Amino acid sequence: MLSQEDLASSATSSPASSLYSPSPHGTGTGHVSSWLEELTSDHQSVRLVGLLYQCAAQVSAGAFDAANLYLEQITQLASLDSPHTLHRLAAVFADALARKLLTLVPGLSRALHLSSSSSTTTSAGETTVHHHHLVAARRHVFDMLPFLKLAYLATNRAVVEAMEGERFVHVVDLSGPAADPVQWIALFHSFRGRRGGAPHLRVTAVHDSRDFLRTMNGVLAREADAFDIPFQFDAVEARVEELDPDALRNALRVRSGEALAISVVAQLHRLLAVDDVMSGSRRNNGAGGGSSCLTPVQIIARSSSSPRSFGELLERELNTRLQLSPDASSSVLSSSPGTMAAQRPKLGSFLKAVRGLSPKIMVVTEPEANHNAGSFQERFDEAVNYYAALFDCLERATATSAAAQKQQGRCVVERVVLGEEIRGVVAREGAERKERHERLAQWARRMEGAGMERVGLSYDVMMEARKLLQSCGWGGYEVTHDARGDGFFFCWHKKPLYSISAWRPAAACRLGS
């Protein structure tokens, strides 16, 4: 897997780049098509990388005409149905970049969405995927990639170690869409084999689907009965970001006398978007709020000089929007640990509420990426590199099998799961940008700022994870320690893609409680 710098340099120094150097004021579509057809697949892939970065730069600058030209070239090379991984990746990113351009022109965006006859198009212009398609797609993620399996295994092992000698254990599952009953069935196995027998176990699951919670309850109750484990299940129908920190103890039904463990997989980052609801409201009511709903006619009317083209008018408006972007103004704050608590009160208050529950352990799994940067260009660059690695993982999962079912599964994951994440990172802003992945170092600062401290994951946890990779024949994957040696990274060819870490209330907080 090439790094971002390698990709960028190869895109500009390869033989393919010398065949054509696109210009915003270049020749027409027919000429572009002719040179594209002459490129080999390898040259097309290299060229696509350069076009993606160039297009993103033009989007970031608000250069509508230039961005449109690059998108036109990308779509002639890229396809969701291509046998080449990079071509499929480029097609997904082209879609996200086009949506980004569209959302920067609210009048045009809303008009197009209102004219759509599809009932699956939301007011924000995003296509809603039916629930059963999402369930199937997430099942393919679990089957084809090892990351969820590794997260479940490592979490369970850490919970069992933390609960040594405890007779009443309460596990809270905050993983939402990433939750799966199979994780807790495996925990039944682990508890059943411990000295002194299994504890009385209660599982509370937070999920926004009543059907999922009902199914999870039935499955776990049957398995617990088969293992002869005293068991109780509590369902909380909600999203993690909807939980009220001030009423968290009641919402999660935390009781005294039970040892508490919390598991959360790929969900904490969604709390980072909640505060933009209020900040977005303040912006719309402020001095700059009037520019958020300008139509093309209003753009022309307010221009102080005669425009040469409608494209020039549009570029002026896009530049204005980008300068007023909430993310652009907060880029310094988002990278400063000292201002995190003030900038993200929802997450901070949630983590402090969790600390107040006095869990013996809280295990957090998150994507290891910087998709919450203030700069659009920085987010885009990071996303291309990160999701290229995940597309490679999927390609590896299907390379050794000609089964049509696996090929179909790969397509579903790329389009439904990863495609939706990429649109979230690239095309959306404010409260709508839910995919705000951050690196473990940033999460550590947030957790410690909320009064939590690290719980070192043991060597046995890492060895169990490595054994799982070996037993399933997942070559190219590995489990490595983070810099502090307390958490782990799940890697693909040395590139960390997910992190897992464990936490508990800091000693001072435990003594003071």
Side-chain angles (χ1 to χ4, degrees):
M1 186 67 217
L2 294 175
S3 67
Q4 173 189 325
E5 291 77 11
D6 294 333
L7 288 170
S9 63
S10 65
T12 55
S13 62
S14 70
S17 65
S18 65
L19 296 176
Y20 179 74
S21 179
S23 166
H25 310 289
T27 55
T29 305
H31 179 74
V32 173
S33 298
S34 64
W35 72 262
L36 287 175
E37 292 172 357
E38 296 176 1
L39 295 179
T40 66
S41 61
D42 287 344
H43 283 169
Q44 287 180 4
S45 296
V46 170
R47 189 66 202 138
L48 267 174
V49 174
L51 289 171
L52 280 174
Y53 283 116
Q54 290 166 314
C55 182
Q58 299 303 325
V59 171
S60 181
F64 187 91
D65 286 345
N68 179 64
L69 178 61
Y70 284 123
L71 281 173
E72 187 176 4
Q73 295 172 36
I74 292 168
T75 54
Q76 291 182 60
L77 285 171
S79 169
L80 290 172
D81 299 316
S82 173
H84 303 291
T85 305
L86 189 53
H87 291 207
R88 299 193 302 274
L89 179 76
V92 174
F93 271 91
D95 173 87
L97 287 168
R99 290 171 187 266
K100 174 67 173 178
L101 276 180
L102 190 62
T103 56
L104 289 171
V105 191
L108 179 61
S109 176
R110 290 168 188 160
L112 288 173
H113 300 151
L114 287 173
S115 67
S116 173
S117 61
S118 171
S119 61
T120 60
T121 301
T122 68
S123 61
E126 303 299 339
T127 300
T128 301
V129 182
H130 291 296
H131 175 70
H132 66 277
H133 289 153
L134 280 174
V135 172
R138 289 168 183 149
R139 173 52 55 181
H140 286 305
V141 171
F142 182 82
D143 291 338
M144 301 180 71
L145 300 176
F147 303 115
L148 284 177
K149 293 183 178 72
L150 291 169
Y152 295 163
L153 182 150
T155 298
N156 285 0
R157 186 61 185 259
V159 168
V160 169
E161 291 178 359
M163 297 300 167
E164 182 67 31
E166 297 289 350
R167 298 304 306 161
F168 296 90
V169 175
H170 181 194
V171 175
V172 173
D173 186 349
L174 296 177
S175 299
D180 195 311
V182 71
Q183 177 178 6
W184 309 122
I185 293 173
L187 185 65
F188 292 166
H189 280 274
S190 299
F191 273 140
R192 189 188 186 196
R194 78 172 187 172
R195 291 192 303 271
H200 289 73
L201 181 62
R202 187 157 65 97
V203 172
T204 296
V206 177
H207 200 286
D208 64 349
S209 168
R210 184 172 302 178
D211 289 340
F212 175 87
L213 291 168
R214 186 183 298 114
T215 300
M216 189 174 189
N217 183 17
V219 169
L220 293 183
R222 287 192 298 271
E223 291 293 331
D225 185 61
F227 287 127
D228 194 25
I229 293 177
F231 175 73
Q232 180 183 341
F233 182 83
D234 289 330
V236 179
E237 187 179 349
R239 294 183 175 90
V240 171
E241 59 266 34
E242 296 171 347
L243 296 175
D244 181 2
D246 295 331
L248 198 60
R249 180 176 294 274
N250 289 334
L252 301 179
R253 302 170 177 90
V254 175
R255 305 169 185 165
S256 60
E258 294 178 328
L260 178 64
I262 298 174
S263 170
V264 54
V265 177
Q267 287 298 294
L268 277 188
H269 65 265
R270 299 181 70 84
L271 291 169
L272 295 172
V274 175
D275 299 312
D276 274 336
V277 174
M278 289 304 298
S279 61
S281 175
R282 288 193 297 271
R283 285 190 304 274
N284 290 336
N285 293 329
S291 67
S292 64
C293 297
L294 290 178
T295 65
V297 173
Q298 289 171 318
I299 297 172
I300 294 174
R302 79 174 192 167
S303 298
S304 58
S305 58
S306 299
R308 288 187 299 241
S309 68
F310 178 72
E312 180 181 319
L313 288 168
L314 205 51
E315 287 184 18
R316 290 182 193 175
E317 180 60 18
L318 294 182
N319 272 298
T320 301
R321 283 188 200 295
L322 287 164
Q323 290 166 8
L324 295 175
S325 167
D327 293 300
S329 64
S330 65
S331 60
V332 176
L333 289 176
S334 65
S335 62
S336 174
T339 60
M340 284 179 179
Q343 187 192 1
R344 305 296 187 190
K346 173 68 175 184
L347 177 63
S349 59
F350 181 84
L351 291 177
K352 288 177 182 177
V354 168
R355 183 199 68 201
L357 301 178
S358 300
K360 292 201 71 173
I361 192 167
M362 177 183 186
V363 186
V364 177
T365 303
E366 279 287 329
E368 180 66 9
N370 183 24
H371 293 153
N372 196 31
S375 161
F376 165 77
Q377 187 70 53
E378 187 178 351
R379 291 202 310 270
F380 178 86
D381 292 352
E382 177 86 2
V384 169
N385 192 257
Y386 182 82
Y387 286 102
L390 283 178
F391 269 62
D392 277 350
C393 293
L394 289 170
E395 185 68 21
R396 168 65 177 81
T398 57
T400 57
S401 173
Q405 187 175 5
K406 275 206 167 185
Q407 298 295 330
Q408 182 181 11
R410 186 209 70 211
C411 292
V412 169
V413 174
E414 289 178 349
R415 299 180 190 189
V416 176
V417 179
L418 301 187
E420 179 63 14
E421 288 188 14
I422 290 168
R423 284 190 290 273
V425 173
V426 174
R428 298 172 191 153
E429 295 293 352
E432 293 181 355
R433 184 161 61 83
K434 306 291 188 184
E435 305 302 333
R436 294 172 177 259
H437 310 144
E438 294 190 339
R439 299 190 189 281
L440 178 55
Q442 292 167 291
W443 282 114
R445 290 196 292 268
R446 295 184 186 279
M447 299 295 285
E448 290 165 356
M452 305 288 280
E453 67 180 12
R454 293 268 199 132
V455 177
L457 294 173
S458 71
Y459 179 76
D460 288 340
V461 174
M462 184 171 69
M463 291 309 298
E464 286 293 325
R466 288 177 174 175
K467 285 179 183 177
L468 175 64
L469 290 177
Q470 292 172 359
S471 65
C472 295
W474 275 315
Y477 295 99
E478 61 180 329
V479 180
T480 63
H481 276 294
D482 75 318
R484 287 179 45 167
D486 293 329
F488 299 138
F489 293 129
F490 303 145
C491 306
W492 166 252
H493 289 300
K494 308 294 184 183
K495 178 178 177 59
L497 294 180
Y498 285 84
S499 68
I500 184 167
S501 56
W503 304 87
R504 66 186 175 195
C509 297
R510 295 201 304 274
L511 292 173
S513 60

